[in-house]
């Protein structure tokens, strides 16, 4: 019997839905995930929901954390960490994989396990591998627990930039030139791989962007002006992912657009523009989160351009079988056309993040956005759909 069809006890019928906010994780985006969790915890309506914050440490331990969003902010240019928020250095949270139970249990060495009650929905705010890439979503499907955002397939495709671009291309979405270097190729013959990259540059021109295939928040990306910078850039990308991408520079404007699932299907927000960041080579991690470089919302586009980028954003959402939410990133190239760069199935939810800012400008407040996502997850069954 699937968990969504289990009969509810009188206690379950009377109590508020319980939301587990899961954050942190093992990826290089651990810190920004904690910041996002703080913003989400601040926004959840406590008159409607009970909340259980669960942090995942960088070594993978599920920790019970205090419900203290104010401790989850960037302080003195330093990212917060789950280990600093955990109520115990050794205690762990366990979610049952039995779809007949949504019980969460807390264990500590030498102590009797303590039941924390049932969870009705999980709000994952993990960014990057081991959370945004379908791994957590698979665990939640096994457990029969509803969750916010994309399912297993869409999460995996949305995390891996190679397969994301392959899906876009198969659906006829415009994609810029790129090259993929897989681990075996680089480890077997780096000279041949390097020659393939320089050949790509000869065809499409310098500079190139070298980026990890399965990372986000612009972590591990290097802009390379010529062949002399390739090895250092590849080493930096491979520090985050053994598979990396090479992309040519698309000259034009950076445009973003949010997609949110409503009862009648996905809708696009007003788009935003990321202006050139003078203090940085490109819109990198520090520009986004440390120096708080600001985008322009709404983007100064014509009505026709706005309609086109909104159409493409929804098409990208559907092409990857997404659910809940997506931020789609584009280039408006010098020839007047749009090229899609990537989608993000769990975009940043920090107070300065573009996704909530675009929806705020579209008439959906931060609190309404969080509530809509929770309600959509509660109303959506787990399993094949």
């Amino acid at each position: 019997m699937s968990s969504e069809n289990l009969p509810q006890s009188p206690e379950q019928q009377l109590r508020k839905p319980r939301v587990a906010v899961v954050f942190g994780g093992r990826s290089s985006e651990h810190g920004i995930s904690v910041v996002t969790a703080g913003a989400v915890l601040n926004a959840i309506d406590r008159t409607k929901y009970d909340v259980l914050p669960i942090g995942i440490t960088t070594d993978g331990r599920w920790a019970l954390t205090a419900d203290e969003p104010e401790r989850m902010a960037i302080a003195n240019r330093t990212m917060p960490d789950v280990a600093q928020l955990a109520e115990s250095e050794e205690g762990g949270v366990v979610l049952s994989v039995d779809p007949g139970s949504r019980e969460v249990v807390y264990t500590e060495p030498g102590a009797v396990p303590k039941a924390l009650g049932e969870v009705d929905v999980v709000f994952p705010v993990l960014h990057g591998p081991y959370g945004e890439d379908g791994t957590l979503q698979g665990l939640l499907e096994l457990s029969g627990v509803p969750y916010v955002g994309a399912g297993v397939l869409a999460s995996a495709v949305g995390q891996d930039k190679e397969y994301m671009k392959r899906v876009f291309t198969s659906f006829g979405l415009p994609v810029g030139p790129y090259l993929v270097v897989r681990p075996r190729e680089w480890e077997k013959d780096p000279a041949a791989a390097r020659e393939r990259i320089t050949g790509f540059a000869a065809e499409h021109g310098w500079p190139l962007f070298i980026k990890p295939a399965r990372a986000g928040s612009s972590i591990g990306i290097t802009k390379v002006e010529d062949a002399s910078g390739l090895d250092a850039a590849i080493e930096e990308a491979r520090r985050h992912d053994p598979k990396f991408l090479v992309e040519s520079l698309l000259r034009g404007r950076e445009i973003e657009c949010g997609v949110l699932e409503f009862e009648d299907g996905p809708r696009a927000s007003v788009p935003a523009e990321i202006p050139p960041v003078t203090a940085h080579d490109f819109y990198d991690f520090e520009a986004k989160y440390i120096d708080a470089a600001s985008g322009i919302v709404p983007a100064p586009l014509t009505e026709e351009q706005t309609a086109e980028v909104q159409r493409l954003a929804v098409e990208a959402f559907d092409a990857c079988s997404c659910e809940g939410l997506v931020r789609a990133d584009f280039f408006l190239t010098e020839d007047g056309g749009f090229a899609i760069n990537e989608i993000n199935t769990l975009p940043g939810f920090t107070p300065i993040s573009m996704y909530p800012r675009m929806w705020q400008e579209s008439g959906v407040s931060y609190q309404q956005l969080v509530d809509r996502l929770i309600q959509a997850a509660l109303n959506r069954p787990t399993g094949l759909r």
Side-chain angles (χ1 to χ4, degrees), residues 73-98:
I74 299 171
N76 300 319
R77 301 177 69 87
T78 301
M79 289 287 174
D81 191 283
V82 167
Q84 301 164 351
L85 302 166
E87 294 193 349
S88 164
E89 293 184 0
E90 295 183 299
V93 174
V94 178
L95 177 66
S96 171
V97 294
D98 177 359

Side-chain angles (χ1 to χ4, degrees), residues 12-33:
Q12 287 175 313
Q13 292 170 4
L14 290 173
R15 68 174 176 83
K16 293 181 286 188
R18 196 169 206 208
V19 182
V21 178
V22 181
F23 61 96
R26 293 164 55 190
S27 83
S28 52
E29 297 174 80
H30 177 98
I32 198 60
S33 172

Side-chain angles (χ1 to χ4, degrees), residues 70-325:
E70 65 277 4
R71 295 175 58 199
M72 300 180 182
I74 299 171
N76 300 319
R77 301 177 69 87
T78 301
M79 289 287 174
D81 191 283
V82 167
Q84 301 164 351
L85 302 166
E87 294 193 349
S88 164
E89 293 184 0
E90 295 183 299
V93 174
V94 178
L95 177 66
S96 171
V97 294
D98 177 359
S101 169
R102 295 176 180 174
E103 188 79 25
V104 175
V105 176
Y106 179 70
T107 62
E108 281 195 82
V112 176
K114 181 171 65 175
L116 300 179
E118 291 192 342
V119 166
D120 297 290
V121 63
V122 170
F123 199 130
V125 291
L126 294 145
H127 301 302
Y130 314 110
E132 188 180 353
D133 60 350
T135 50
L136 176 65
Q137 290 75 14
L139 172 64
L140 296 173
E141 291 286 352
L142 284 173
S143 302
V145 179
Y147 54 92
V148 168
V152 176
L153 173 65
S155 296
V157 170
Q159 186 65 41
D160 191 313
K161 294 177 177 63
E162 175 191 358
Y163 290 99
M164 180 198 307
K165 290 177 186 291
R166 290 182 184 275
V167 169
F168 291 158
T169 301
S170 71
F171 276 81
L173 291 164
V175 173
Y178 71 97
L179 183 72
V180 179
V181 180
R182 294 180 173 171
R184 188 182 304 167
E185 177 185 1
W186 180 256
E187 291 156 10
K188 182 179 179 181
D189 194 344
R194 199 178 292 108
E195 184 177 345
R196 196 158 71 92
I197 295 169
T198 55
F200 177 84
E203 180 180 357
H204 298 288
W206 299 91
L208 301 177
F209 287 92
I210 311 296
K211 59 176 63 176
R214 294 161 290 193
S217 296
S218 298
I219 289 175
I221 300 178
T222 306
K223 183 180 179 181
V224 181
E225 299 292 344
D226 55 48
S228 66
L230 270 181
D231 284 357
I234 292 169
E235 182 179 348
E236 171 62 13
R238 282 176 51 81
R239 197 163 66 84
H240 301 278
D241 188 341
K243 181 168 74 167
F244 63 92
L245 263 67
V246 180
E247 295 179 349
S248 64
L249 173 66
L250 290 178
R251 301 188 185 278
R253 299 159 60 187
E254 290 190 52
I255 305 294
E256 298 185 348
C257 189
V259 180
L260 180 63
E261 196 166 14
F262 287 76
E263 289 79 7
D264 60 350
R267 301 182 201 168
S269 69
V270 300
E273 179 169 4
I274 308 301
V277 185
T278 54
H280 301 263
D281 268 352
F282 59 98
Y283 193 46
D284 62 7
F285 180 86
E286 289 216 350
K288 287 179 180 178
Y289 299 113
I290 303 298
D291 294 335
S294 184
I296 303 168
V297 188
L301 300 171
T302 67
E303 287 186 15
E304 292 77 13
Q305 288 171 330
T306 296
E308 176 65 3
V309 77
Q310 289 175 326
R311 180 186 70 81
L312 291 171
V314 171
E315 283 195 11
F317 182 96
D318 286 335
C320 295
S321 298
C322 294
E323 294 169 298
L325 72 164

